[in-house]
Structure formats: structure tokens, C-alpha cells
Amino acid sequence: MKLSNQSTVPVYTIAGASTARPLPEWLARKRRRSLKRDPEFANRIELLQDFEFEEASACVRVSENGEWAMSTGTYKPQIHTHYLPHLSLSFARHTDTLNQTFILLSSDYTKSLHLQTDRSLEFHTAGGLHYRTRLPRYGRDLKFNKRTAEALVPVVGVNADGSGEVYRLNLELGRYMKAYEVNVGGDDFESLGGGALQGGIRTGAVNCAAIAEESHGLMAFGTSLSTVELWDSRSRNRVSVIGQPSSSLASDVDATPQITALEFHRSGLNFATGSSTGVVHTYDLRLPVPLLRKEHGYDYPIQTLKYLTPSSRSSSSNGSENLIMSADKRAIKLWNSEKGDHWTMIEPAVDLNCVEWLPDSGMLLTANEGRQQHAFFIPQLGPAPRWCAFLDNLVEEMAEDTEDPHAFNTTQQGAGEVYDNYKFLDMKQLREFSLDHLIGQTNLLRPYMHGYFVAQKLYEQARLLANPDMAEQARQKSIQQRITKERESRIRGNKKVTVKVNRRYAEKLAAREEANERRKAERVLRQGGDEPHEVNVADAEMANEEAEVVPKKKTERLLDDARFKSMFEEEDFAIDEQSREFVMHNPSTNAEAAPRKRGLTAVEGDELDERKGSSGEDDDDSADEDAAADAAALRARQQGKRRDNDAEDPRKRIGSTSYKKGAGGKTSQSRPTQDPQMRVSSSNTAFKKQKDRQSKSFGDLASDLPAKQRASDARANWGNSVGEKEVTFAPSKPPKQRPQQEINADAGRDRARGKDRRSASGNVFRRM
């Protein structure tokens, strides 16, 4: 699906030679499978399956109900019929000769009439060829008059009276009626178009025909003399003749343009003619001169003329009521029939033979000289047909995609619009732009779902009136965006962490990320850049160690993750570094934290009471003031003793036995009083000593102890964190010995029982 022309009216090529390359039949199957990697072939859109012929296509028609499409082509001569709701080929049928043109007689495909190049008319039904009849002369065009049930065939040459003819085949009676005689120049060599005998070089002919079916029912026939004759089917007489315009008269007979295409407007008052020199004239039946002259620009005969008039006013698009389509073998042009202004054009890569417009839609189907038939879609002309409504969504997505080179994007178009020349507004927006008074009063607002479609020009005017400073605001906004973009593109130095809460944690994460990047850069430099290399054992081990130390990538990117954004902005997620849980999980930060206050133990309380009792002579006020100081000094002394014991030996702690000994009174009184000593110790030093002790054996640890300590520990029943355990051997009385005679008697009895008697039990393993 490609955008054919990037103009104000975009045209999308849905099917054709420019969208996908055709595959020849002799291409190997393996080569076809390899094409799945080709982006052009993989991204193609097949609007209709097998919408192609072996060599070329001649004509294409769509049924009245819009569900069937029939086309003819070569080589070999054949007919293809597609069922549009299924987007597939229904059947294919071969014919004896090439088809020149055909018409559908029914609302579907079941009845069709075909004009062949061998002067024959063929009637086809759903089952196949129904009837064939021959024509006296070669036909140029084929029309069907529904009011008289007659098939009209303009032909080449003159009759015995020197007039051209339009054959009438009455399908109700089943016979030929008297032909319409049209002036094509006579059979003399003096008049214009002379020498018109059948088979001559300058043979006169009736080239085309048109019928005003929806209005007055007049028939128009275009001749090789550049004249148009109007006939009435009721009186079977000529009504009027429109001559050649004075601007196109020429003295040379060879340069005389011929009428090659005719088309009536739905109103019946206007009609258009196309000449063999690529000039289109529009006429009013009430005036003898043309209203407008439009040159196609390629000097090729006009093959197709069509007024793009919608069937209902509600389904019409903006500006499509007065459009006319003209096509030659090079291009298709759409222009205004009243002013002649160019609207849009389509120029495919191959020559065209026939163009068919699907009424009330923006779809065009063509029969051309290429293998693939073309399908074009114009969103502004109308919506997509019912059988391919998905094209509207595809066009809308392409219009919103700014990175798609084939997308249609303009500065005035906003994202989310269904059509390029309309803007969707809801009721709130209508009130803001003061357009709500137009609801139900005019066709400028087209209701759709919960809002209205407004013409783009009206929307721009209303928005400008509602906000006169809109242009200046848009200009300032654009300038600010450019300045911001330039600032972001500048080279910055070290990253600075800007967060509201948990700054230390954010800085820690940033430092860890920088360390990882620096480690990675060093590894890349050590490997010699980005070139492929062989990883040695040392680099692999270092990478594994880094992977173990460095957390996962998700943890490193917490600052950039939107899920954890509130962690660094809201006060509820602030980390309390003074809490006991934080100190336990982060022991290295314990030195920075404030000391935690706690109560006195039982021993500290007893010593504090003894000191208070000895100083009973002081007054109560001085005792209260000194109570806090004594408690702090006692706590410091106990902490100093505990640190000293931990630094010397972890086993020198207050256990159950030593505490009971000290509580007796003699030991505690005989211990000399010492001043509190403050020592600095860290968890790292204690952990290192703990690790050294674990690496020693039990004998080494016991030999390091002093003799007095070993003796006291031997009497105590306790264990420590190293894993020692005391084993106690309790003495017991020796067992009483039996006399040797009783032992020998029992042994003899057992041996005799085992030899001479069997056990009564069935389990032979009972005594084993």
C-alpha cells in the first residue's frame, strides 16, 4: 500500500505493479520461499486474490449491488469474476476471441453481454455461454437501454444510404430492430469524411454512445466527424446535433478530432465529450456552445469519462459533487466540472484500457496493459467500500505515522482525524468554538457517534476567532521546543543526582552505576576495543566476580524506573538511618549513627544502689543530680570491660557460673576497682579475629589460654561460638562376674541344641 502522490488530495495504490512485483510461473519453488525475506514482497497487500491476467486486461465492470466485479483480458482470452465480500476469485472462463467491451444486464454477474473483436455478441449466464450472434460490421461500443430492453451497438462504416448505423438488438423480442442512422460523412470523396466505404482508410464510424437513464432518457452518439447526435428512443428520431467547436476546426481531414467518449450528468442537463486529441468539453443542453474546455495534456484519445456524483447527498464528500473523471492511456485526472480546477491525478506505470469507479466510495479499479490490475483509493473522494472497510483504518494509521515515508502528513492535519478534510469535535469543543448553534440547521456539521465532523476550513476559522493569539502562542511554543532540544543535545559533565528524599541512597546507586561503566570500559580496552576476540581465563574469572558483586540491572536503574519514582520524591518513603533495623542491615554506618539509649541491667542497678547507699550523708538534691552521671559512668565502665574482653578472647564473657561466683560477695569485694577505659573497636576487626580463631584447631586454642583460665574453664560447663564442648566421664561399678563352671555349662547346652535339634519355629533366621 503506497502513497502515489503527496499532495493535498492523497491517492493510495492498493494493488498494481507499483505495490508488489509479480512472480513468473517458471520461477522455482525454492526461489519463491526465499522471497519471504524481501520487505517489499512481505509487506504487500492483496486486495483481491488473482486480480490479474496472463498478459493484459481489456475491461472491468462492477455489478449494481456492489458485490461482484467482472473483468476480461488476454492471453488466452478469458473472463474473471470476483466475489468482493470474500476478496477472492469466484470463477474464470475462457472465450474463443478477444473481448472488446461488455456490460452487466442484471444486478449481479448472472447475465452479461460481451462484444467480441470478431463481430459477434455473446450472452453469458452463470452456467457459461448462453447464445452468440454475428454483427454485419465491427462494433465500437456497447450500451443497454433499460426502458426499451435494447442493446445498442455503434459500428464502423455506412449503409446503402451513406449513413452510419447504431444496431438495435431487442432482447425482449429476440431480433434486430431498425438501426439508428447517424451522419458520418457519406461515401463520396468530396464531403467531410468522404470515402467512408466499409474497409476504406478513412472510414466513418459511430465511436461511442451514452444514455441519460436517470433523467429524460435521451441517447447521444459520438461520431468520427467530431459531432454528437441526440436521439429520443420514444420517437426514434434525431432530436439535435451538436457540431464541432470552432476552436477545434482544422482544414486537414486527418487532423479532425473524433469523439471517443460521452457521459451524461445525473441531472440530464449537462454532458461531457472527450476527443481523440485529449480535449474534454462540457455542455449544457440549453446552450449551443461548450461551457468548459479542458485539455488532458497527453494528446491521447480519451477512453473514459465519468461524473463522480454520489447517489445520496448524505454520503457525498466535500467537493466531490462537481467532480468529473477523465482518463486516457497514460493518466487519470479528477477535476472540477464547473471551474476546471485540478483536484488530483493518478499516473500508473502501465497503459490504461478502462477505469471503473465504485459509486459512493473512493475506490477506482482499472484494466491495463500490465499483468496486475490496479486498484486506487482516494480517502477524500469517499469512504472505502463495505467489502474492504479496513482500508479506512490503514489510511488513518499511515497518516498518523510520522516515520512512514509513504504516509500523508500535512501541517494542518491533526492526529486522529478520520478524513483529511474533516475535523471531529464533541459537544464541549463545539461550545468552546461557538459552533453549537449550527446543530440541526445546516449540513456543515455531520453527526457521527458522540460528536460531529466539521470541515477543516471552518474549524480553522472558528479556532482563530475563539483565540486570536493562537498563532503567536504556537510560535513561542515552537521556539521554546527548539531551545530545549538544543540544551538537551549539549555535552554534559558528571551526572548530578537531584532527588528530594533518600539522597544518600540515590548517590550510592549512581556511584555503583559509574563504577560498573568504568569496569566495562576497562574490560573493553583490555580486550582491544569492539573487535571480536578470544576470552582468556583471567578475564572470564574477573567478569564472574563482577557479576557476583554487581547487582542486577534492574536495581542499578532504580532512578530511571517510573515504578520507583515516588521513592525519591515522597517523604513517606524516606529511609530512617537512625533506626535499629537500618543499623543491623548496614553495620558499616553504625559509627555515624547516634548512640542508642537503653536501660540498666540488673548488675548495673545493684552497683548503682551500693554507691547511693555509701553516699547517704549527702542531701537528696545532690543525689538526684549525681544519679544520671553515675549511671552513665557505670554504663561506660561496663562497655569498656566488655570491649576489652572481646578484644582479648571472646570466651571471657559473663557466664552463668562466673556470675554466681561474683554474686557471693568475696570475689566481687576482693576485685580491685578500676577506672573505665574507652577503646575503639569495629565490627570488621572483631569479624577478622573471629575468622582467625575459626581457622585454628581445638588444641591450638586451648594451648593459647593461660593455665589459670584453663583450670577454671575445665570446671565450668559451658560452650562458645567456636564449637568446643566439655565431655564428662562418670565412674561406674564393674559388672559382677559369674563362675566359670556356669559359663561352660551354658555353652555346652547351646552347642548340643544347635547340632542335634531343629528349632520349632519356621523362621531359620530367628537365632542369627
Side-chain angles (χ1 to χ4, degrees), residues 17-63:
S18 60
T19 57
R21 296 190 301 271
L23 296 178
E25 296 295 335
W26 45 265
L27 191 62
R29 185 176 300 176
K30 179 184 289 187
R31 177 74 180 279
R32 291 186 183 182
R33 287 198 298 265
S34 65
L35 287 176
K36 64 182 179 181
R37 300 178 182 176
D38 189 357
E40 181 180 356
F41 185 77
N43 296 330
R44 73 190 188 281
I45 296 179
E46 290 190 9
L47 182 65
L48 294 173
Q49 291 185 3
D50 299 326
F51 194 54
E52 60 183 17
F53 286 89
E54 297 293 335
E55 295 294 336
S57 53
C59 186
V60 60
R61 295 282 187 266
V62 178
S63 62

Short mmCIF file of all heavy atoms in Angstrom, two decimals, residues 17-63:
data_model
loop_
_atom_site.label_atom_id
_atom_site.label_comp_id
_atom_site.label_asym_id
_atom_site.label_seq_id
_atom_site.Cartn_x
_atom_site.Cartn_y
_atom_site.Cartn_z
N ALA A 17 1.20 -2.87 -10.22
CA ALA A 17 2.62 -3.18 -10.44
C ALA A 17 3.52 -2.39 -9.51
O ALA A 17 4.64 -2.80 -9.23
CB ALA A 17 2.99 -2.89 -11.89
N SER A 18 3.08 -1.24 -9.00
CA SER A 18 3.93 -0.42 -8.15
C SER A 18 3.90 -0.85 -6.69
O SER A 18 4.66 -0.33 -5.88
CB SER A 18 3.48 1.05 -8.23
OG SER A 18 2.14 1.17 -7.80
N THR A 19 3.03 -1.77 -6.34
CA THR A 19 2.94 -2.22 -4.94
C THR A 19 3.67 -3.52 -4.70
O THR A 19 4.23 -3.73 -3.63
CB THR A 19 1.47 -2.38 -4.53
OG1 THR A 19 0.84 -3.30 -5.44
CG2 THR A 19 0.75 -1.05 -4.59
N ALA A 20 3.68 -4.45 -5.64
CA ALA A 20 4.36 -5.73 -5.46
C ALA A 20 4.79 -6.27 -6.81
O ALA A 20 4.08 -6.13 -7.81
CB ALA A 20 3.44 -6.74 -4.76
N ARG A 21 5.96 -6.87 -6.85
CA ARG A 21 6.47 -7.42 -8.10
C ARG A 21 5.75 -8.73 -8.41
O ARG A 21 5.64 -9.62 -7.55
CB ARG A 21 7.97 -7.66 -8.00
CG ARG A 21 8.77 -6.40 -7.80
CD ARG A 21 10.26 -6.70 -7.95
NE ARG A 21 10.70 -7.67 -6.99
CZ ARG A 21 11.15 -7.36 -5.78
NH1 ARG A 21 11.18 -6.11 -5.40
NH2 ARG A 21 11.56 -8.29 -4.95
N PRO A 22 5.29 -8.91 -9.64
CA PRO A 22 4.65 -10.19 -9.98
C PRO A 22 5.68 -11.31 -10.10
O PRO A 22 6.83 -11.08 -10.47
CB PRO A 22 3.98 -9.89 -11.34
CG PRO A 22 4.80 -8.79 -11.92
CD PRO A 22 5.27 -7.95 -10.75
N LEU A 23 5.25 -12.50 -9.78
CA LEU A 23 6.12 -13.67 -9.84
C LEU A 23 5.80 -14.47 -11.09
O LEU A 23 4.64 -14.86 -11.31
CB LEU A 23 5.93 -14.55 -8.60
CG LEU A 23 6.31 -13.91 -7.27
CD1 LEU A 23 6.02 -14.89 -6.15
CD2 LEU A 23 7.75 -13.50 -7.26
N PRO A 24 6.78 -14.74 -11.96
CA PRO A 24 6.51 -15.58 -13.14
C PRO A 24 6.25 -17.03 -12.75
O PRO A 24 6.67 -17.49 -11.68
CB PRO A 24 7.79 -15.43 -13.96
CG PRO A 24 8.84 -15.07 -12.97
CD PRO A 24 8.16 -14.26 -11.91
N GLU A 25 5.57 -17.72 -13.63
CA GLU A 25 5.21 -19.10 -13.33
C GLU A 25 6.43 -20.02 -13.33
O GLU A 25 6.42 -21.05 -12.65
CB GLU A 25 4.18 -19.59 -14.36
CG GLU A 25 2.87 -18.85 -14.30
CD GLU A 25 2.14 -19.08 -12.99
OE1 GLU A 25 2.38 -20.13 -12.37
OE2 GLU A 25 1.34 -18.22 -12.60
N TRP A 26 7.48 -19.68 -14.10
CA TRP A 26 8.62 -20.58 -14.21
C TRP A 26 9.61 -20.40 -13.07
O TRP A 26 10.64 -21.06 -13.02
CB TRP A 26 9.34 -20.35 -15.53
CG TRP A 26 9.55 -18.89 -15.87
CD1 TRP A 26 8.77 -18.10 -16.65
CD2 TRP A 26 10.62 -18.05 -15.40
NE1 TRP A 26 9.26 -16.82 -16.71
CE2 TRP A 26 10.41 -16.76 -15.96
CE3 TRP A 26 11.73 -18.25 -14.57
CZ2 TRP A 26 11.25 -15.70 -15.71
CZ3 TRP A 26 12.57 -17.20 -14.33
CH2 TRP A 26 12.33 -15.93 -14.90
N LEU A 27 9.30 -19.49 -12.12
CA LEU A 27 10.22 -19.28 -11.01
C LEU A 27 10.20 -20.51 -10.10
O LEU A 27 9.15 -21.06 -9.79
CB LEU A 27 9.80 -18.04 -10.22
CG LEU A 27 10.81 -17.53 -9.17
CD1 LEU A 27 12.11 -17.12 -9.84
CD2 LEU A 27 10.23 -16.37 -8.41
N ALA A 28 11.38 -20.95 -9.69
CA ALA A 28 11.48 -22.17 -8.88
C ALA A 28 10.81 -21.97 -7.53
O ALA A 28 10.71 -20.85 -7.01
CB ALA A 28 12.95 -22.56 -8.69
N ARG A 29 10.36 -23.07 -6.96
CA ARG A 29 9.66 -23.01 -5.69
C ARG A 29 10.60 -22.55 -4.57
O ARG A 29 10.20 -21.82 -3.66
CB ARG A 29 9.08 -24.37 -5.37
CG ARG A 29 8.23 -24.39 -4.11
CD ARG A 29 7.59 -25.75 -3.90
NE ARG A 29 6.72 -26.09 -5.00
CZ ARG A 29 6.09 -27.25 -5.11
NH1 ARG A 29 6.22 -28.18 -4.15
NH2 ARG A 29 5.32 -27.50 -6.15
N LYS A 30 11.86 -22.98 -4.62
CA LYS A 30 12.82 -22.55 -3.60
C LYS A 30 13.03 -21.05 -3.67
O LYS A 30 13.14 -20.37 -2.64
CB LYS A 30 14.14 -23.29 -3.78
CG LYS A 30 15.20 -22.87 -2.75
CD LYS A 30 16.53 -23.56 -3.00
CE LYS A 30 16.46 -25.03 -2.66
NZ LYS A 30 17.80 -25.66 -2.74
N ARG A 31 13.07 -20.51 -4.89
CA ARG A 31 13.24 -19.06 -5.03
C ARG A 31 12.02 -18.31 -4.47
O ARG A 31 12.16 -17.23 -3.89
CB ARG A 31 13.43 -18.73 -6.51
CG ARG A 31 13.56 -17.25 -6.80
CD ARG A 31 14.92 -16.72 -6.37
NE ARG A 31 15.05 -15.31 -6.66
CZ ARG A 31 15.35 -14.81 -7.86
NH1 ARG A 31 15.58 -15.65 -8.89
NH2 ARG A 31 15.46 -13.53 -8.04
N ARG A 32 10.87 -18.85 -4.62
CA ARG A 32 9.68 -18.21 -4.07
C ARG A 32 9.71 -18.19 -2.54
O ARG A 32 9.29 -17.21 -1.92
CB ARG A 32 8.42 -18.95 -4.54
CG ARG A 32 8.13 -18.79 -6.02
CD ARG A 32 6.81 -19.43 -6.38
NE ARG A 32 6.54 -19.34 -7.80
CZ ARG A 32 5.43 -19.78 -8.38
NH1 ARG A 32 4.50 -20.35 -7.65
NH2 ARG A 32 5.26 -19.66 -9.68
N ARG A 33 10.20 -19.26 -1.96
CA ARG A 33 10.28 -19.28 -0.49
C ARG A 33 11.29 -18.27 0.03
O ARG A 33 11.14 -17.74 1.12
CB ARG A 33 10.67 -20.69 -0.02
CG ARG A 33 9.54 -21.70 -0.13
CD ARG A 33 9.82 -22.91 0.74
NE ARG A 33 11.03 -23.62 0.33
CZ ARG A 33 11.04 -24.66 -0.49
NH1 ARG A 33 9.89 -25.14 -0.98
NH2 ARG A 33 12.17 -25.26 -0.83
N SER A 34 12.31 -18.01 -0.76
CA SER A 34 13.31 -17.02 -0.32
C SER A 34 12.77 -15.60 -0.36
O SER A 34 13.35 -14.71 0.26
CB SER A 34 14.56 -17.13 -1.19
OG SER A 34 14.26 -16.77 -2.54
N LEU A 35 11.66 -15.37 -1.09
CA LEU A 35 11.11 -14.02 -1.18
C LEU A 35 10.41 -13.58 0.10
O LEU A 35 10.02 -12.42 0.21
CB LEU A 35 10.12 -13.94 -2.34
CG LEU A 35 10.74 -13.95 -3.74
CD1 LEU A 35 9.65 -13.97 -4.79
CD2 LEU A 35 11.64 -12.75 -3.95
N LYS A 36 10.24 -14.47 1.05
CA LYS A 36 9.59 -14.08 2.29
C LYS A 36 10.46 -13.12 3.09
O LYS A 36 9.96 -12.43 3.99
CB LYS A 36 9.25 -15.31 3.13
CG LYS A 36 10.47 -16.09 3.61
CD LYS A 36 10.06 -17.32 4.39
CE LYS A 36 11.28 -18.12 4.86
NZ LYS A 36 10.89 -19.33 5.61
N ARG A 37 11.76 -13.06 2.79
CA ARG A 37 12.65 -12.11 3.45
C ARG A 37 12.70 -10.76 2.74
O ARG A 37 13.33 -9.83 3.22
CB ARG A 37 14.06 -12.69 3.55
CG ARG A 37 14.11 -14.00 4.34
CD ARG A 37 15.53 -14.56 4.36
NE ARG A 37 15.58 -15.83 5.08
CZ ARG A 37 16.67 -16.57 5.19
NH1 ARG A 37 17.82 -16.14 4.64
NH2 ARG A 37 16.64 -17.72 5.85
N ASP A 38 12.07 -10.68 1.57
CA ASP A 38 12.04 -9.44 0.82
C ASP A 38 11.00 -8.52 1.46
O ASP A 38 9.82 -8.86 1.51
CB ASP A 38 11.68 -9.71 -0.64
CG ASP A 38 11.85 -8.47 -1.51
OD1 ASP A 38 12.19 -7.41 -0.95
OD2 ASP A 38 11.65 -8.57 -2.73
N PRO A 39 11.39 -7.32 1.97
CA PRO A 39 10.40 -6.47 2.64
C PRO A 39 9.30 -5.99 1.71
O PRO A 39 8.15 -5.85 2.11
CB PRO A 39 11.25 -5.31 3.17
CG PRO A 39 12.49 -5.32 2.34
CD PRO A 39 12.73 -6.74 1.97
N GLU A 40 9.63 -5.72 0.45
CA GLU A 40 8.60 -5.25 -0.48
C GLU A 40 7.57 -6.33 -0.75
O GLU A 40 6.37 -6.06 -0.84
CB GLU A 40 9.26 -4.81 -1.79
CG GLU A 40 8.27 -4.27 -2.81
CD GLU A 40 8.95 -3.82 -4.09
OE1 GLU A 40 10.19 -3.86 -4.14
OE2 GLU A 40 8.24 -3.45 -5.04
N PHE A 41 8.03 -7.58 -0.87
CA PHE A 41 7.10 -8.67 -1.13
C PHE A 41 6.34 -9.07 0.13
O PHE A 41 5.17 -9.45 0.07
CB PHE A 41 7.88 -9.87 -1.68
CG PHE A 41 7.00 -11.03 -2.10
CD1 PHE A 41 6.30 -11.00 -3.29
CD2 PHE A 41 6.87 -12.14 -1.27
CE1 PHE A 41 5.51 -12.06 -3.67
CE2 PHE A 41 6.08 -13.21 -1.65
CZ PHE A 41 5.39 -13.16 -2.86
N ALA A 42 6.99 -8.95 1.29
CA ALA A 42 6.34 -9.37 2.54
C ALA A 42 5.29 -8.37 2.99
O ALA A 42 4.30 -8.75 3.62
CB ALA A 42 7.39 -9.58 3.63
N ASN A 43 5.47 -7.08 2.70
CA ASN A 43 4.55 -6.05 3.16
C ASN A 43 3.49 -5.70 2.13
O ASN A 43 2.83 -4.66 2.24
CB ASN A 43 5.34 -4.78 3.52
CG ASN A 43 6.28 -5.01 4.68
OD1 ASN A 43 6.02 -5.83 5.55
ND2 ASN A 43 7.39 -4.29 4.69
N ARG A 44 3.31 -6.51 1.13
CA ARG A 44 2.32 -6.21 0.11
C ARG A 44 0.91 -6.46 0.65
O ARG A 44 0.72 -7.20 1.62
CB ARG A 44 2.57 -7.09 -1.12
CG ARG A 44 2.18 -8.54 -0.91
CD ARG A 44 2.66 -9.41 -2.07
NE ARG A 44 2.14 -10.76 -2.00
CZ ARG A 44 2.62 -11.71 -1.22
NH1 ARG A 44 3.65 -11.45 -0.43
NH2 ARG A 44 2.09 -12.91 -1.20
N ILE A 45 -0.07 -5.84 0.01
CA ILE A 45 -1.48 -6.02 0.36
C ILE A 45 -2.20 -6.55 -0.87
O ILE A 45 -2.21 -5.89 -1.92
CB ILE A 45 -2.12 -4.70 0.83
CG1 ILE A 45 -1.46 -4.22 2.13
CG2 ILE A 45 -3.62 -4.88 1.04
CD1 ILE A 45 -2.02 -2.93 2.64
N GLU A 46 -2.77 -7.72 -0.78
CA GLU A 46 -3.55 -8.28 -1.86
C GLU A 46 -5.01 -7.96 -1.60
O GLU A 46 -5.68 -8.62 -0.81
CB GLU A 46 -3.34 -9.80 -1.95
CG GLU A 46 -1.95 -10.18 -2.45
CD GLU A 46 -1.85 -11.66 -2.76
OE1 GLU A 46 -2.90 -12.33 -2.75
OE2 GLU A 46 -0.73 -12.13 -3.00
N LEU A 47 -5.49 -6.90 -2.25
CA LEU A 47 -6.88 -6.52 -2.04
C LEU A 47 -7.81 -7.59 -2.58
O LEU A 47 -8.78 -7.97 -1.91
CB LEU A 47 -7.15 -5.18 -2.73
CG LEU A 47 -8.56 -4.62 -2.56
CD1 LEU A 47 -8.81 -4.29 -1.11
CD2 LEU A 47 -8.77 -3.39 -3.43
N LEU A 48 -7.55 -8.07 -3.79
CA LEU A 48 -8.33 -9.15 -4.40
C LEU A 48 -7.35 -10.22 -4.86
O LEU A 48 -6.40 -9.92 -5.59
CB LEU A 48 -9.15 -8.63 -5.58
CG LEU A 48 -10.26 -7.62 -5.26
CD1 LEU A 48 -10.86 -7.09 -6.54
CD2 LEU A 48 -11.32 -8.26 -4.40
N GLN A 49 -7.61 -11.44 -4.48
CA GLN A 49 -6.74 -12.52 -4.91
C GLN A 49 -6.93 -12.78 -6.41
O GLN A 49 -8.05 -12.77 -6.92
CB GLN A 49 -7.05 -13.79 -4.12
CG GLN A 49 -6.66 -13.71 -2.66
CD GLN A 49 -6.87 -15.02 -1.93
OE1 GLN A 49 -7.25 -16.01 -2.53
NE2 GLN A 49 -6.62 -15.02 -0.64
N ASP A 50 -5.80 -13.02 -7.09
CA ASP A 50 -5.79 -13.31 -8.53
C ASP A 50 -6.45 -12.20 -9.34
O ASP A 50 -7.13 -12.45 -10.34
CB ASP A 50 -6.50 -14.65 -8.81
CG ASP A 50 -5.81 -15.81 -8.12
OD1 ASP A 50 -4.57 -15.77 -7.99
OD2 ASP A 50 -6.50 -16.74 -7.69
N PHE A 51 -6.24 -10.96 -8.92
CA PHE A 51 -6.78 -9.82 -9.66
C PHE A 51 -5.76 -9.45 -10.76
O PHE A 51 -5.17 -8.39 -10.77
CB PHE A 51 -7.00 -8.65 -8.72
CG PHE A 51 -7.86 -7.54 -9.29
CD1 PHE A 51 -9.10 -7.81 -9.81
CD2 PHE A 51 -7.40 -6.23 -9.28
CE1 PHE A 51 -9.89 -6.79 -10.32
CE2 PHE A 51 -8.17 -5.21 -9.79
CZ PHE A 51 -9.42 -5.49 -10.31
N GLU A 52 -5.61 -10.37 -11.73
CA GLU A 52 -4.60 -10.22 -12.76
C GLU A 52 -4.91 -11.16 -13.93
O GLU A 52 -5.76 -12.05 -13.81
CB GLU A 52 -3.21 -10.54 -12.19
CG GLU A 52 -3.08 -11.95 -11.64
CD GLU A 52 -1.73 -12.22 -11.01
OE1 GLU A 52 -1.01 -11.27 -10.71
OE2 GLU A 52 -1.41 -13.41 -10.86
N PHE A 53 -4.20 -10.94 -15.04
CA PHE A 53 -4.29 -11.78 -16.22
C PHE A 53 -2.88 -12.14 -16.68
O PHE A 53 -1.89 -11.58 -16.19
CB PHE A 53 -5.05 -11.06 -17.34
CG PHE A 53 -6.54 -10.98 -17.10
CD1 PHE A 53 -7.09 -9.91 -16.41
CD2 PHE A 53 -7.38 -11.97 -17.57
CE1 PHE A 53 -8.44 -9.84 -16.19
CE2 PHE A 53 -8.75 -11.90 -17.35
CZ PHE A 53 -9.28 -10.84 -16.66
N GLU A 54 -2.82 -13.07 -17.63
CA GLU A 54 -1.51 -13.52 -18.10
C GLU A 54 -0.74 -12.40 -18.78
O GLU A 54 0.47 -12.25 -18.58
CB GLU A 54 -1.68 -14.71 -19.06
CG GLU A 54 -2.31 -15.93 -18.42
CD GLU A 54 -1.41 -16.56 -17.40
OE1 GLU A 54 -0.18 -16.37 -17.50
OE2 GLU A 54 -1.90 -17.23 -16.48
N GLU A 55 -1.42 -11.62 -19.62
CA GLU A 55 -0.73 -10.56 -20.36
C GLU A 55 -1.30 -9.18 -20.03
O GLU A 55 -0.57 -8.30 -19.62
CB GLU A 55 -0.85 -10.83 -21.87
CG GLU A 55 -0.14 -12.09 -22.33
CD GLU A 55 1.36 -12.00 -22.16
OE1 GLU A 55 1.89 -10.87 -22.14
OE2 GLU A 55 2.01 -13.05 -22.05
N ALA A 56 -2.60 -8.99 -20.25
CA ALA A 56 -3.21 -7.68 -20.08
C ALA A 56 -4.70 -7.86 -19.86
O ALA A 56 -5.27 -8.93 -20.11
CB ALA A 56 -2.94 -6.77 -21.28
N SER A 57 -5.35 -6.80 -19.40
CA SER A 57 -6.81 -6.78 -19.20
C SER A 57 -7.41 -5.70 -20.08
O SER A 57 -6.78 -4.67 -20.34
CB SER A 57 -7.14 -6.53 -17.73
OG SER A 57 -6.48 -5.37 -17.25
N ALA A 58 -8.65 -5.95 -20.57
CA ALA A 58 -9.29 -5.03 -21.53
C ALA A 58 -10.39 -4.20 -20.90
O ALA A 58 -10.52 -3.01 -21.22
CB ALA A 58 -9.85 -5.84 -22.70
N CYS A 59 -11.19 -4.78 -20.04
CA CYS A 59 -12.34 -4.05 -19.50
C CYS A 59 -12.67 -4.61 -18.12
O CYS A 59 -12.43 -5.79 -17.83
CB CYS A 59 -13.55 -4.20 -20.44
SG CYS A 59 -14.97 -3.20 -19.95
N VAL A 60 -13.25 -3.76 -17.25
CA VAL A 60 -13.64 -4.15 -15.91
C VAL A 60 -14.95 -3.45 -15.58
O VAL A 60 -15.15 -2.28 -15.92
CB VAL A 60 -12.54 -3.81 -14.87
CG1 VAL A 60 -12.24 -2.34 -14.84
CG2 VAL A 60 -12.93 -4.32 -13.49
N ARG A 61 -15.88 -4.20 -14.92
CA ARG A 61 -17.18 -3.66 -14.53
C ARG A 61 -17.51 -4.18 -13.13
O ARG A 61 -17.15 -5.29 -12.76
CB ARG A 61 -18.28 -4.08 -15.50
CG ARG A 61 -18.12 -3.53 -16.92
CD ARG A 61 -18.55 -2.07 -16.98
NE ARG A 61 -18.55 -1.60 -18.37
CZ ARG A 61 -17.53 -0.98 -18.95
NH1 ARG A 61 -16.41 -0.77 -18.26
NH2 ARG A 61 -17.61 -0.58 -20.20
N VAL A 62 -18.27 -3.37 -12.38
CA VAL A 62 -18.76 -3.74 -11.05
C VAL A 62 -20.27 -3.81 -11.11
O VAL A 62 -20.93 -2.96 -11.73
CB VAL A 62 -18.29 -2.73 -9.99
CG1 VAL A 62 -18.84 -3.09 -8.60
CG2 VAL A 62 -16.78 -2.67 -9.94
N SER A 63 -20.84 -4.85 -10.49
CA SER A 63 -22.28 -5.05 -10.54
C SER A 63 -23.03 -3.95 -9.79
O SER A 63 -22.44 -3.19 -9.01
CB SER A 63 -22.64 -6.42 -9.96
OG SER A 63 -22.26 -6.48 -8.59
#
